[in-house]
Each structure stands twice: as C-alpha cells, then as structure tokens.
C-alpha cells in the first residue's frame, strides 16, 4: 500500500516539476497567440489559435498528438507529400512566419507536461516522423519543415 501511495505521490511531484519547467513555453505560447490575434488574420486561423490555447493544458492532447503522428506515419510518403504541397501552396504565409512553428512547439511541450507518459510517446513518434520526412525530403528534394508542420496541424 505504501508503494502505491509513493508512486502516486511521485507522479504528482513529477507533474508539478514538469509544469514549472514548461512555464516559459506556456507564457511564450500566450504571447505568440496575442501577437497573431492582433494581426489581420482570417477566422480559420483565429479558431486554430483558440484551439491551441484551449488544449495547451489538456491531458487529452498528448494522446491525440501521439495517435495523429502514428497515423501520419502510416500514410504513404508520396500521398503525404501531395497533401503537404497542396496545403503549403494555400498557406505560404503561415510557413514563412516562424511564429506559427514556435507556437506549435510551445503547445507540444505544454501538452507533454500535462500528460508526461503520452507526451514522451508523442515526442518519440514525432522523432520517427521527422526521420521519415527527412528521408523523403532528401530523396525527392521536398521541404522537410512543411511536412512536419502539416503533420502538426493534422494532430489538432
């Protein structure tokens, strides 16, 4: 019984420690969201920012990111490449503005801190996805960042 209590207690201590570690990323996420919302952006992007802010502390986001990344791994690279290129043509300004990439990174760190087990799995799956994207990009001269970003958007 003491071992179970110690395990539960240590898990909550881990959550508190992780929450303290990602506090700067959470603050940066809020600042980036405020900056982007103050600009003239369309309603779809406003909704996306709202979703990012609403799910940054949610325990369900890390499993969702993990599953979405695993599904993206199962999609054949040529099909994923077509979808990513189509999306990139429609959203060139999003790709060029580095704040969106930074906002997704802050969101991922926040979600991983809220659910560390699935957060670690999500980061591992993202690492495998990045390797797949790098391999495909080297082979066919694609843009690796576009694939990664498109994969992140599919997770939300």
């Amino acid at each position: 019984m003491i071992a179970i209590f110690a395990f539960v207690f240590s898990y909550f201590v881990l959550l508190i420690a992780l929450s303290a570690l990602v506090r700067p990323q959470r603050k940066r996420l809020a600042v980036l969201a405020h900056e982007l919302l103050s600009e003239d952006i369309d309603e779809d992007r406003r909704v996306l920012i709202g979703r990012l802010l609403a799910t940054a502390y949610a325990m369900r986001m890390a499993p969702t990111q993990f599953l979405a990344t695993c599904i993206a791994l199962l999609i054949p690279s040529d099909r994923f490449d077509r979808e990513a290129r189509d999306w990139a043509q429609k959203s060139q300004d999003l790709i060029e503005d580095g704040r969106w990439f930074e906002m997704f990174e802050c969101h991922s760190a926040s979600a991983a801190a809220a659910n560390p087990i699935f957060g670690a799995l999500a980061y591992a799956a993202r690492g495998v996805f990045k390797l797949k994207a790098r391999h495909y990009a080297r082979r066919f001269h694609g843009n690796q960042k576009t694939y990664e970003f498109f994969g992140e958007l599919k997770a939300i």
Side-chain angles (χ1 to χ4, degrees):
M1 186 68 176
I2 293 176
I4 293 172
F5 178 72
F7 178 75
V8 170
F9 179 75
S10 63
Y11 184 74
F12 283 113
V13 168
L14 175 68
L15 286 177
I16 292 169
L18 288 174
S19 180
L21 283 173
V22 298
R23 183 178 217 117
Q25 283 87 359
R26 288 178 173 168
K27 286 183 179 180
R28 181 68 181 149
L29 175 65
V31 167
L32 288 169
H34 179 70
E35 284 177 10
L36 289 167
L37 287 172
S38 67
E39 295 176 1
D40 185 31
I41 58 175
D42 62 357
E43 189 60 31
D44 290 339
R45 293 188 183 163
R46 287 187 184 281
V47 169
L48 177 62
I49 292 171
R51 281 188 198 159
L52 286 172
L53 290 174
T55 60
Y57 298 97
M59 289 186 72
R60 71 184 184 280
M61 196 60 219
T64 303
Q65 286 177 338
F66 171 65
L67 290 174
T69 306
C70 288
I71 290 169
L73 283 169
L74 297 175
I75 296 173
S77 294
D78 58 338
R79 181 174 148 214
F80 198 86
D81 180 42
R82 261 192 324 276
E83 291 178 10
R85 285 182 191 275
D86 290 345
W87 175 82
Q89 287 176 348
K90 295 174 190 169
S91 307
Q92 192 62 33
D93 57 326
L94 253 146
I95 294 169
E96 291 172 359
D97 190 357
R99 294 178 296 178
W100 288 92
F101 290 106
E102 188 178 356
M103 193 165 64
F104 277 102
E105 286 299 322
C106 291
H107 179 266
S108 294
S110 180
N115 191 339
I117 295 168
F118 275 100
L121 289 172
Y123 270 108
R126 281 179 66 196
V128 173
F129 182 77
K130 285 180 182 185
L131 288 174
K132 178 183 175 184
R134 268 190 212 127
H135 173 71
Y136 189 82
R138 283 187 193 139
R139 207 164 145 208
F140 296 102
H141 309 292
N143 183 352
Q144 170 198 342
K145 271 207 158 186
T146 301
Y147 300 139
E148 292 173 13
F149 193 44
F150 183 64
E152 287 286 322
L153 282 175
K154 281 191 148 197
I156 296 173

